[in-house]
Amino acid sequence: MKRNNIHIVGGGIIGLCAAWYLNEAGVKVTVVDKNDFTEGTSYGNAGMVVPSHFVPMATPGVIAQGLKWLLDAKSPFYVKPRLNGDLIAWLWHFYRAANPMQVNRAIPVLLAFNEWSKALYKELADNPVFDFNYEEKGLLMLYRTKKQAHEEAEMAALAQRQGIDAVLLDESQAKALEPEMDLDVLGGLYFKGDAHLYPNQLMRQMVTQLKQKDVQFISNFSVKDFKKEGNRITAIFDENHQGIAVQHLLVASGAWTGQLLKKAGIKIHLQDGKGYSITLKKPRVRPRIPTILTESKVAITPMGDDLRIGGTLEISGLSPKINQKRVEGILESVPKYYKNFPVLNPQASDIWKGFRPCTPDGLPYIGPSKNIQNLNVATGHGMMGLSLGAATGKLVAQQLTQETRTVSDELFDLDRF
Ligand SMILES: Cc1cc2nc3c(=O)[nH]c(=O)nc-3n(C[C@H](O)[C@H](O)[C@H](O)COP(=O)(O)OP(=O)(O)OC[C@H]3O[C@@H](n4cnc5c(N)ncnc54)[C@H](O)[C@@H]3O)c2cc1C
């Protein structure tokens, strides 16, 4: 049955893109958020739109690497040790998902989903109402060690087998791509087909455009509970027991979705992957091409005239605390790759944090609840929520209007664990 009145809980990139394509399909949409649609995980991220990222996070080998990183205070990965049933169950499912069969099943799906998303972003960028610095300059994976060179060569071969334009560069070829930067690297892997954009601009412009299209926005409403009648949710409530009646609900609340759905009696496995970024306004030198410093897992993105540097994945129970050591780890790695780049020492107020919604198998949850008739969920995009945002919004609209899906949503089932 086609839904004609939908409340979306969560106005991040997933919620807004769902609102966009549902509105296009003629559905009346209201977006409800605990904040005011000006900041959050979908704003300060690295803005990369990356079909090259077709391998899910849970891969064989990642566990051994993760355990080594746990011992290093400045490493790009951390799990706050705690006896928490949800975390233990998540780690168990992560461990089970990190096998070649599961990864091989996920690769073509993630690739097709990412490529579709890139095409949709291009369409949005071509719409004259938008100007969010969308550019197709590719993605450069720089490396400094022989071990990483070997891994990137394997990745290049795998990518080429998927039909991706992936080119291995030696030191001088990498330097030629970045003439302004004094590179200290062994080489790089260049994914020519990737894109990037300025997420803060995209998000702000989306809100403005959606308001003009009569999408309703309710800010500062933190959903704390649901009213259920039989197998339907009929209202959402905030902490003051203020209620909003709903006909159909899409929960797209990012890393908070797991704890929120518990209130509706629904269990999904989801952990937060906190990360940090800093944005330099018009820096004196900066790379031309979005780059990942592969050994340190740091992302560097030129956005308009600015430059954003981001990284780290901390599973720490949605803690808002900024871990200074890990921020130092990010910033100290940059001049190791670019000798003419200073070590930065930003003020605490200049450090942005966001929470990636991470599933155990690195695939999102996008689909209807089996138990609640008028509830759909869209979350769990982990490190790729921006990249997959447009396609997720469109897929949600296809699911809710009973249209044919452009990509298969089979692997995105909410109850797959
Ligand atoms: C450092 C860093 C770099 C990244 N770089 C990239 C990148 O280059 N490319 C990429 O694809 N991805 C990247 N990501 C990941 C990406 O930012 C996320 O996957 C994406 O933003 C998640 O979007 P979302 O809409 O699911 O969640 P969010 O953006 O977190 O939105 C969820 C919304 O729900 C609201 N909400 C939560 N609970 C409630 C409630 N109870 N009631 C009402 N509202 C609620 C929140 O206020 C929020 O506005 C990066 C992330 C980080 C941290």
Side-chain angles (χ1 to χ4, degrees), residues 9-15 32-35 41-42 45-48 221-223 252-254 256 260 275-276 311 352 354 356-357 379 381-387:
V9 181
I13 187 68
I14 303 300
V32 180
D33 201 287
K34 65 185 170 80
N35 293 326
T41 306
S42 296
N45 62 64
M48 294 178 175
F221 189 104
S222 183
V223 180
S253 319
W256 294 266
L260 182 56
Y276 307 110
W352 172 91
R356 306 171 184 91
T379 191
H381 298 72
M383 299 191 284
M384 279 182 298
L386 189 274
S387 193

Side-chain angles (χ1 to χ4, degrees), residues 249-291:
L249 203 59
L250 171 70
V251 176
S253 319
W256 294 266
T257 307
Q259 64 185 36
L260 182 56
L261 287 180
K262 268 190 190 171
K263 291 280 183 185
I266 291 176
K267 170 94 186 145
I268 57 166
H269 294 283
L270 195 74
Q271 290 291 320
D272 64 299
K274 186 167 56 184
Y276 307 110
S277 74
I278 64 152
T279 305
L280 307 179
K281 296 283 172 193
K282 300 189 177 176
R284 198 176 44 80
V285 284
R286 59 172 204 163
R288 242 172 24 91
I289 299 171
T291 297

Side-chain angles (χ1 to χ4, degrees), residues 151-161 164 166-168 189 191:
E151 281 184 23
E152 297 306 321
E154 281 186 352
M155 177 49 97
L158 179 60
Q160 284 155 4
R161 285 202 294 279
I164 290 181
V167 187
L168 276 173
L189 169 57
F191 291 111

Side-chain angles (χ1 to χ4, degrees), residues 288-362:
R288 242 172 24 91
I289 299 171
T291 297
I292 293 183
L293 312 178
T294 54
E295 287 89 354
S296 356
K297 304 278 179 273
V298 166
I300 315 254
T301 318
M303 293 177 181
D305 291 334
D306 304 335
L307 184 72
R308 184 163 289 167
I309 303 173
T312 284
L313 196 150
E314 282 175 41
I315 298 183
S316 56
L318 289 165
S319 155
K321 200 173 149 245
I322 288 178
N323 184 326
Q324 204 61 40
K325 280 266 173 269
R326 280 174 206 280
V327 176
E328 280 167 24
I330 296 172
L331 299 178
E332 284 170 8
S333 69
V334 185
K336 290 184 186 152
Y337 292 77
Y338 305 118
K339 283 188 282 180
N340 57 340
F341 204 90
V343 179
L344 302 165
N345 190 10
Q347 306 209 328
S349 56
D350 291 332
I351 301 167
W352 172 91
K353 62 175 183 314
F355 299 92
R356 306 171 184 91
C358 298
T359 60
D361 59 0

Side-chain angles (χ1 to χ4, degrees), residues 206-224:
M206 266 272 175
V207 172
T208 307
Q209 291 306 318
L210 285 167
K211 282 183 178 166
Q212 286 184 11
K213 288 170 175 284
D214 281 339
V215 169
Q216 301 300 305
F217 282 79
I218 301 176
S219 54
N220 303 312
F221 189 104
S222 183
V223 180
K224 295 289 180 205

Side-chain angles (χ1 to χ4, degrees), residues 13 121 132 197-206 386:
I13 187 68
Y121 276 127
F132 47 80
L197 54 83
Y198 209 144
N200 309 61
Q201 293 178 1
L202 168 67
M203 293 296 290
R204 286 190 198 119
Q205 291 167 19
M206 266 272 175
L386 189 274

